[in-house]
Amino acid sequence: SNLHASIVDTRRRGELARDSDKGSNDDNKADDYKSSKCIALVEQLYKTYCILIKLVLYIGFTFAVFGSNYASILLKILAGERWGSNPEASAALSSFCIYIALMSLNGMTEAFVYGVAESGKDVGSLAVVHCLVGGVFYVAASFLVIHRNDHSDGSGGGTVGLVMANGICMVLRSVYSL
């Protein structure tokens, strides 16, 4: 993870600074204090980031588990029997419930990356990855949407295929941001 590498790098720089400046005792104390304060802040940031990722995943996957299993009942209640008994509409809503969990994970990881980016180069590399993932989406969506006729029960292709392609892209973007 980028944050873990940052913690290790901050510790290493602090140790190198202490080793190279052994001549001045007052300067060493000030540098040690600044270095330890910086390490403590980065470690606290890492802990907070992990807690937020876990929270987003718990909420998202809870929504995915219950939402995907009860999509047809929800459609019957909200939109009537016509939509509730439609297996394609139920499958689309079920897949979208799973997609919401993936999208929330992506939102949290990318927000953190943008928040800690130190230069335009960091943001630029993320933009390049977004372009590449867009290409993956184009190919995956074309493939998954066209195979609509392979699944007559609404479990794949069409709208579900489009949501699946978006889910694949969210996973790829989240993995890069982690």
Side-chain angles (χ1 to χ4, degrees), residues 70-145:
Y70 297 109
S72 61
I73 296 171
L74 182 65
L75 281 173
K76 284 180 185 176
I77 292 170
L78 295 177
E81 187 66 34
R82 177 177 163 222
W83 287 102
S85 61
N86 184 345
E88 200 171 317
S90 179
L93 185 59
S94 295
S95 62
F96 195 75
C97 288
I98 296 167
Y99 172 69
I100 293 290
L102 299 174
M103 193 167 45
S104 65
L105 173 65
N106 178 57
M108 182 62 68
T109 57
E110 282 188 7
F112 183 80
V113 169
Y114 281 119
V116 298
E118 293 180 0
S119 68
K121 184 179 178 184
D122 295 338
V123 176
S125 67
L126 195 59
V128 168
V129 170
H130 287 180
C131 289
L132 293 174
V133 169
V136 169
F137 171 74
Y138 179 75
V139 171
S142 300
F143 178 74
L144 292 170
V145 170

Side-chain angles (χ1 to χ4, degrees), residues 33-34 90 96 108 117 130 140 142 161-164 168 172 174:
Y33 177 73
K34 289 178 186 176
S90 179
F96 195 75
M108 182 62 68
H130 287 180
S142 300
L162 188 62
V163 174
M164 286 170 48
I168 292 168
L172 291 175
S174 296

